[in-house]
Amino acid sequence: MDAADEQRFREFVAARSPALMRLGFLLTGGDQHAAEDLVQSALAKLAAKWRRVEAPEAYAKQIMYRQQISRWRASGRRGEVVQADLPESADRDLNHQSELRMVLRSALARLTARQRAVLVLRYFEDLPEQEIAQVLGCSVGTVRSTAHRSLARLREIAPELAQELEVAR
């Protein structure tokens, strides 16, 4: 990579890292360290092919999706991650949006990695089912059924999100 390419890469990283971190955070179920690892690994792979990549952000996101899929395939089916409920406190944030984010984060962490990936790709990235199927290496029917079961599971885990999830239907 020459000096000009390196400068463009550095500018890309500075500009797009926050968005990539948010995506990594969602894909890893709220695990900050795993999200950082995911982004760092994707950026390292992107740097190696920087000159040949026409759409660097799309390429980085695809690397992140595939790496996360590889992680959950390699780890096998471990089942749900049990999370403790947040304790009640006097200085609890009463802001509705903040509370919903916390509930959603906790609920997402209890889904499988595949369920999280489908929901993130469908509702955060707003990808069509066909593209999601390509990224995840499965059929469109699998994407549809996984999205349906994932939303049903979120309703079960966090009934307080029911009104918010109706928008996703």
Side-chain angles (χ1 to χ4, degrees):
M1 182 181 306
D2 64 16
D5 283 336
E6 184 176 339
Q7 182 60 31
R8 283 192 293 276
F9 179 73
R10 286 178 185 272
E11 290 170 359
F12 169 79
V13 170
R16 301 309 306 154
S17 284
L20 293 174
M21 276 302 300
R22 283 190 300 273
L23 177 62
F25 191 78
L26 290 170
L27 286 173
T28 60
D31 185 339
Q32 182 72 25
H33 297 293
E36 290 169 356
D37 290 345
L38 193 62
V39 171
Q40 182 178 16
S41 179
L43 290 175
K45 288 181 179 184
L46 174 61
K49 298 194 181 214
W50 181 253
R51 283 186 167 183
R52 296 181 299 240
V53 175
E54 292 181 26
E57 186 167 5
Y59 187 77
K61 286 179 178 181
Q62 187 170 37
I63 292 169
M64 290 172 66
Y65 298 136
R66 290 185 176 170
Q67 281 185 268
Q68 189 61 22
I69 290 167
S70 294
R71 284 181 184 172
W72 61 258
R73 281 185 180 158
S75 68
R77 298 199 60 110
R78 290 189 212 167
E80 295 180 356
V81 176
V82 179
Q83 299 285 326
D85 292 327
L86 294 173
E88 294 293 326
S89 66
D91 59 339
R92 184 173 172 212
D93 182 8
L94 298 177
N95 183 326
H96 181 68
Q97 292 299 320
S98 295
E99 189 174 312
L100 281 178
R101 271 189 233 114
M102 289 178 1
V103 170
L104 182 59
R105 182 182 302 157
S106 175
L108 285 173
R110 294 177 63 189
L111 296 177
T112 66
R114 182 182 205 137
Q115 289 174 323
R116 272 195 310 277
V118 167
L119 291 181
V120 168
L121 291 169
R122 182 69 185 104
Y123 299 105
F124 182 73
E125 290 293 320
D126 200 27
L127 292 181
E129 292 167 341
Q130 182 66 34
E131 278 187 56
I132 297 169
Q134 283 180 320
V135 169
L136 299 180
C138 63
S139 70
V140 173
T142 299
V143 170
R144 287 181 184 150
S145 64
T146 301
H148 177 76
R149 284 192 311 271
S150 302
L151 290 173
R153 180 75 176 128
L154 281 177
R155 286 184 192 94
E156 179 183 312
I157 293 169
E160 58 269 41
L161 292 174
Q163 182 180 359
E164 304 301 321
L165 292 174
E166 290 304 315
V167 175
R169 269 190 162 177

